[in-house]
Amino acid sequence: MTQGLASLEYVTEEWILEIVNLAERLSAVAAGEARCEAMRGRLLANLFFEASTRTRMSFEAAMKRLGGDVLNLNDLKSSSVSKGESLHDTILVADGYADVIVLRHPMEGAAVFSDDLSNAPVINGGDGSGRHPTQTLLDLATIQSAHGRLDVDIVIAGDLRYGRTVHSLARALSRFGARIILSSPNSLSMPDEVIIDIQNRGSSVEHVPELSEAVKEADVVYMTRIQRERFPDDDEYDRVAGTFRLMAKDLDDVRPDLIIMHPLPRVDEIEQSIDATRHARYFEQSANGVKVRMALLCTLLGIEPEVLT
Ligand code: NCD
């Protein structure tokens, strides 16, 4: 067990469920309807070496709603990174300023490396195509709140090769007995190492390349964007861009309580008219990021939050 959260592989299922439960207790604080001062006097350093909207903003919202404050390194051009400072040195500097660090970095393994180095806990906000554990925590909270269980039938779809959210989510759900159905373009299939991890945990993995077929058997459809920035060249991206989309007509024969999730940003992989259906859950999912990250911050910093109404 590390002191931060580089990967969910280092924590137990009980720990994960405690975060989900604590997040639920903090719902009113996340919505600004109740107060909690758990992070008063604490500072979080947001170190983002890649673009982010939700992860950065929701950590900031979580920290501020809990009475804490945030230091942001988001304009790399005006920071010392542009002078050639190493990740090693940037982490040690942030460690000197803040009580907890959130790191997003293009290099797989960057969070493990940084968490080993830093006294302050380092939370992985996404490491290249590797993992995205805090996204998975909020994904699990969203599934739990919709279905009351995690042993769901889930279709995980889109860019399974480069998408870090699906690498973390598939691994985590296999620990809770989910039935995992993978659907992707051929060239973007799930890496073998993730499939082996899932199977080692006792979950079966099915492959249904035709998305409109796969969705009929699902309690959850988890769509993802094709990760353009991870492709070695634009030609390869152009070959798959726009080919894998969930359309409103695909929802004719689905289970009534199917939920459709997406970590966002969406490009064109979910037809916009789906937003108005009872199945769409992606904006609620994104909002859940605040309470889940609140629960995570309290847990990593060893603070029992007291909710004041
Ligand atoms: C995801 C990411 O950064 O991996 N975004 C997020 O954190 N919600 C998904 C993506 O970029 O496609």
Side-chain angles (χ1 to χ4, degrees), residues 143-157:
I143 296 170
Q144 175 71 32
S145 119
H147 287 295
R149 62 195 173 90
L150 295 174
D151 57 348
V152 288
D153 297 345
I154 182 167
V155 172
I156 302 182

Side-chain angles (χ1 to χ4, degrees), residues 51 54-55 104 125 132 135 164-165 225 227 229 263-265:
R54 280 148 291 276
T55 306
R104 171 169 288 186
H132 197 344
Q135 178 70 43
R164 55 195 171 200
T165 60
R225 156 184 86 87
Q227 308 276 304
E229 68 278 26
L264 304 178

